[in-house]
Amino acid sequence: MRSRAPAVVTAVYGAAAVLTAAGLGRTAWTGIEDPGIALAFGVLIAVGELARWGALPGEREPAPLGSAGALAYALLGESGGRPTTHGVLQVVAVVTAAALVGAVPHIARGRGPALDHVARRVLTVAFAAVCFQPLYNSGALADHLGRGPYHALYLLLLLLLTALCDAVLAALMLRARTRHPYGPLLRDELRALPGIGSAVCATGAVMALGTAVAGLWALPVFCLPLLLSQLSFRRYAAVRTTYRQTIASLARATEIAGYTPHGHAHRVAALSTAVGRELGLSGPELTVLEYAALMHDIGQLSLVDPVPEGATALLPVVEQRRIALLGGAVVRQTGVPAAVAVVVERQADPYREQPLPARIVRTVNAYDDLTGESAGSALAALEQLRLGTARDYQPEVVESLARVLSRGGLGPAQAG
């Protein structure tokens, strides 16, 4: 039975729904101001949503052209030298309606946009429009900043604040769903901003400024650089996905050869990543941890006789270290970062001599070994790990593992 959405997520959805209803209702009641401009930006946003087609899983901004068009419309004060008259609620209405039109083909294929992304889009665009439209329409912006470089700097500053707002919202919603520490989640979101996020913000500002001078003809011209950036980003993301799939395939070698139980490497990787987030790891550190957890047992391929059920945690320490060193030597030949090999090599050392990722992999691997078919319960496994905190397992890692398991139901790690 699915649990209810956390209060933070419900609040974000509710705020987005209220804004959308107010925008659509007011626009339907009073009519559309500057319908030609609204239509042009609506088409741009819809095309951006259509370009979501083929978006790779996990992309932070799957529709950059749609986001840039929405931001540009929120920050538009003139078109071809003629002042525009649309306000905040019309911005919300046009952006929402265009995004829904562009999402129809994806929804028909069962691959519609996530509600979290839609809610964040509505709120961040509304934030940008609220900070710009009233000031511009009242003339206060022109009186204080003029129409020169200070106006452009104000737009860039506003876009930066909008991006920060989106990062804070994304981290809050993920924190509410996963209960991972907020700091690392926010750092992950902020680290993503210099990538496709900066291209979206810059394109939004340039489109707004270009349309103010050259009119709507500026839209197709200034969206081309973002389309090229999106293509390059997709290729990079595809390479990273292929790279991870290759590592996952190598990790399955021990399962195919009968050295480890089915799904063991993926269970350890998934649970290690969750524990790493609980302990504050983020970004590249989590990537190293995941790769090392996937390949932590590859040294067993050097054994003549498989370890029963692949449970290296039950072997003598000397044998554990020998397998770990052999595994590290194999990993170094695969071309993965050297940090991954270091974690694999040192996973059997006393925890005080290990880097944190190695401590996590050792603890989670032992937990999965101890909750195998012939082992005891999850509670008994955790108790045994706690008894080994004098030398083998760091107490903080064991307790973080217990917290992660308690949130997802106390039991063996789920298969990845």
Side-chain angles (χ1 to χ4, degrees):
M1 186 173 179
R2 297 177 68 90
S3 59
R4 293 184 301 172
V8 171
V9 177
T10 303
V12 171
Y13 284 178
V18 168
L19 274 172
T20 299
L24 293 174
R26 183 188 181 281
T27 303
W29 180 262
T30 62
I32 299 178
E33 301 287 344
D34 299 318
I37 297 173
L39 177 62
F41 276 92
V43 169
L44 177 65
I45 295 167
V47 169
E49 289 294 329
L50 285 172
R52 175 195 300 269
W53 214 292
L56 297 171
E59 283 192 54
R60 294 179 183 271
E61 182 46 76
L65 183 59
S67 295
L71 288 174
Y73 190 54
L75 302 179
L76 185 67
E78 295 182 3
S79 177
R82 183 177 64 84
T84 57
T85 56
H86 64 274
V88 174
L89 291 178
Q90 181 168 311
V91 169
V92 173
V94 170
V95 168
T96 304
L100 290 176
V101 170
V104 167
H106 304 294
I107 295 173
R109 290 166 57 108
R111 298 171 56 187
L115 285 178
D116 286 10
H117 176 77
V118 174
R120 282 166 41 207
R121 170 80 66 82
V122 170
L123 293 178
T124 52
V125 167
F127 171 80
V130 166
C131 293
F132 178 82
Q133 292 293 333
L135 290 175
Y136 183 86
N137 293 335
S138 66
L141 202 58
D143 292 341
H144 289 86
L145 299 180
R147 302 181 185 278
Y150 291 112
H151 179 78
L153 287 175
Y154 177 75
L155 292 186
L156 290 175
L157 176 61
L158 185 51
L159 284 169
L160 176 61
L161 291 175
T162 303
L164 290 176
C165 175
D166 183 61
V168 169
L169 275 177
L172 275 174
M173 297 177 79
L174 194 55
R175 167 72 177 86
R177 291 191 185 281
T178 64
R179 295 167 65 182
H180 292 314
Y182 179 71
L185 296 176
L186 182 59
R187 285 200 299 272
D188 277 350
E189 295 296 331
L190 294 177
R191 283 171 178 163
L193 292 182
I196 196 69
S198 61
V200 169
C201 291
T203 304
V206 168
M207 275 201 251
L209 294 171
T211 303
V213 175
L216 297 177
W217 290 107
L219 295 182
V221 174
F222 290 116
C223 75
L224 285 177
L226 182 58
L227 288 174
L228 294 175
S229 298
Q230 181 180 0
L231 180 61
S232 299
F233 182 80
R234 289 275 177 85
R235 288 178 176 174
Y236 171 72
V239 169
R240 288 194 60 183
T241 301
T242 303
Y243 188 55
R244 186 190 180 282
Q245 289 171 346
T246 301
I247 291 175
S249 297
L250 287 172
R252 291 192 64 239
T254 55
E255 299 175 15
I256 295 172
Y259 284 87
T260 56
H262 176 72
H264 170 72
H266 287 274
R267 290 194 299 272
V268 172
L271 194 49
S272 293
T273 302
V275 173
R277 285 191 180 278
E278 183 76 16
L279 290 169
L281 299 184
S282 62
E285 298 168 320
L286 283 176
T287 301
V288 168
L289 175 60
E290 180 189 17
Y291 290 173
L294 283 170
M295 305 182 75
H296 75 279
D297 268 335
I298 203 165
Q300 290 199 47
L301 294 175
S302 63
L303 301 178
V304 176
D305 297 318
V307 178
E309 297 183 6
T312 53
L314 306 179
L315 293 175
V317 174
V318 173
E319 187 64 10
Q320 290 184 36
R321 298 185 73 175
R322 185 179 77 86
I323 294 173
L325 290 173
L326 290 171
V330 173
V331 171
R332 289 184 185 278
Q333 302 301 315
T334 63
V336 301
V340 177
V342 170
V343 174
V344 174
E345 289 171 343
R346 301 186 63 184
Q347 62 179 307
D349 294 349
Y351 79 80
R352 293 178 178 85
E353 302 173 11
Q354 293 175 314
L356 180 57
R359 300 176 186 181
I360 295 172
V361 171
R362 179 171 191 176
T363 302
V364 175
N365 175 60
Y367 172 78
D368 197 74
D369 286 347
L370 293 170
T371 52
E373 294 180 0
S374 61
S377 69
L379 287 172
L382 283 172
E383 185 60 28
Q384 191 165 340
L385 292 178
R386 289 186 175 107
L387 293 174
T389 53
R391 177 190 185 278
D392 296 330
Y393 311 112
Q394 185 182 16
E396 293 81 1
V397 175
V398 175
E399 296 311 313
S400 295
L401 172 62
R403 288 194 297 272
V404 169
L405 292 169
S406 68
R407 291 199 295 266
L410 196 58
Q414 299 299 312

